[in-house]
Amino acid sequence: MEATDLKAITELSKLPNTEIQISYDTKVTRLHAKTYIFHRDTGFTTAYVGSSNLSNPALTSGMEWNLKVTEKDSLDVLRKIEATFESYWNDREFTRYMAEDAGHEAQLKAALNRKKDQSNHFHLDIQPYDYQKEVLEQLDAERTLYGRTRNLIVAATGVGKTVISAFDYKRFRASQAGAKLLLSHIGKKS
């Protein structure tokens, strides 16, 4: 996602009692777990599992989902979280990062640049479903057989009205250079 920032990783690595492990494989699904475990000598270890980053807006005012797990209330769940973390931490895909090692910083820079170079190359192959093809054929018939150029698609939520409109516009624009599209969604609020 091009979200890794070299400066942030370097600053993080300077914190006391901090170890960083990085995966340089940019071809596999990324680990995007948001879990924070705070081990306390008092026996009140706490973990937060959820969607937010560890930032003030994310934890206070953002629309995020988080679950707080405490050692006192859910020891079994906390142990499962710790075991999952350990399995990721010890996976061979991840290697220890130390900012003071120039080779590590160079390797991370190269991986980030490689990812940026790859990010501009993607291919989408979107095809209409059969029921969408039927609507497209009806729109084409209205236009070519009856001369009706202003058409309305009425369909249930999730049917793909936007996709149908895009394919119809693509077809229409091929025969009518400079054609314009007005797309409006009118929906019932619940």
Side-chain angles (χ1 to χ4, degrees):
M1 294 179 0
E2 298 175 40
T4 303
D5 181 77
L6 178 62
K7 184 177 178 186
I9 296 293
T10 301
E11 290 302 313
L12 187 61
S13 72
K14 294 176 185 176
L15 293 174
N17 301 318
T18 303
E19 291 180 49
I20 298 173
Q21 299 221 119
I22 295 178
S23 168
Y24 295 99
D25 186 351
T26 59
K27 293 183 171 82
V28 296
T29 301
R30 306 306 329 129
L31 175 64
H32 195 247
K34 304 281 183 68
T35 304
Y36 308 98
I37 304 170
F38 299 95
H39 292 278
R40 295 184 175 95
D41 294 334
T42 61
F44 291 102
T45 295
T46 305
Y48 294 90
V49 181
S51 64
S52 64
N53 292 316
L54 195 56
S55 67
N56 187 41
L59 294 174
T60 58
S61 60
M63 294 182 72
E64 305 279 354
W65 285 89
N66 293 294
L67 172 68
K68 178 182 178 182
V69 179
T70 63
E71 184 174 357
K72 181 180 177 236
D73 296 329
S74 303
L75 181 62
D76 57 327
V77 175
L78 186 65
R79 293 295 178 250
K80 177 69 175 165
I81 292 168
E82 290 173 333
T84 302
F85 172 82
E86 288 299 323
S87 70
Y88 290 150
W89 185 260
N90 294 312
D91 190 305
R92 283 187 236 158
E93 180 183 330
F94 296 93
T95 56
R96 184 147 184 220
Y97 176 83
M98 294 180 281
E100 61 273 6
D101 184 331
H104 286 205
E105 186 173 327
Q107 185 178 11
L108 182 55
K109 277 183 185 176
L112 293 172
N113 288 333
R114 198 169 44 249
K115 184 70 176 168
K116 284 180 184 175
D117 291 344
Q118 293 170 355
S119 68
N120 293 328
H121 301 76
F122 58 90
H123 174 72
L124 292 177
D125 184 23
I126 300 172
Q127 297 297 322
Y129 291 109
D130 289 338
Y131 63 88
Q132 292 171 328
K133 288 178 185 176
E134 287 180 34
V135 175
L136 288 165
E137 289 170 10
Q138 291 172 358
L139 287 168
D140 189 49
E142 290 294 322
R143 203 174 281 118
T144 56
L145 298 176
Y146 304 108
R148 297 181 182 137
T149 58
R150 295 180 185 195
N151 297 289
L152 175 67
I153 300 171
V154 178
T157 300
V159 169
K161 294 176 290 289
T162 304
V163 172
I164 293 168
S165 299
F167 279 109
D168 183 56
Y169 179 65
K170 180 181 177 184
R171 182 189 310 172
F172 183 71
R173 183 149 183 170
S175 64
Q176 304 289 323
K180 295 182 180 180
L181 171 70
L182 172 63
L183 183 61
S184 175
H185 284 254
I186 301 172
K188 177 181 166 187
K189 291 186 179 183
S190 39

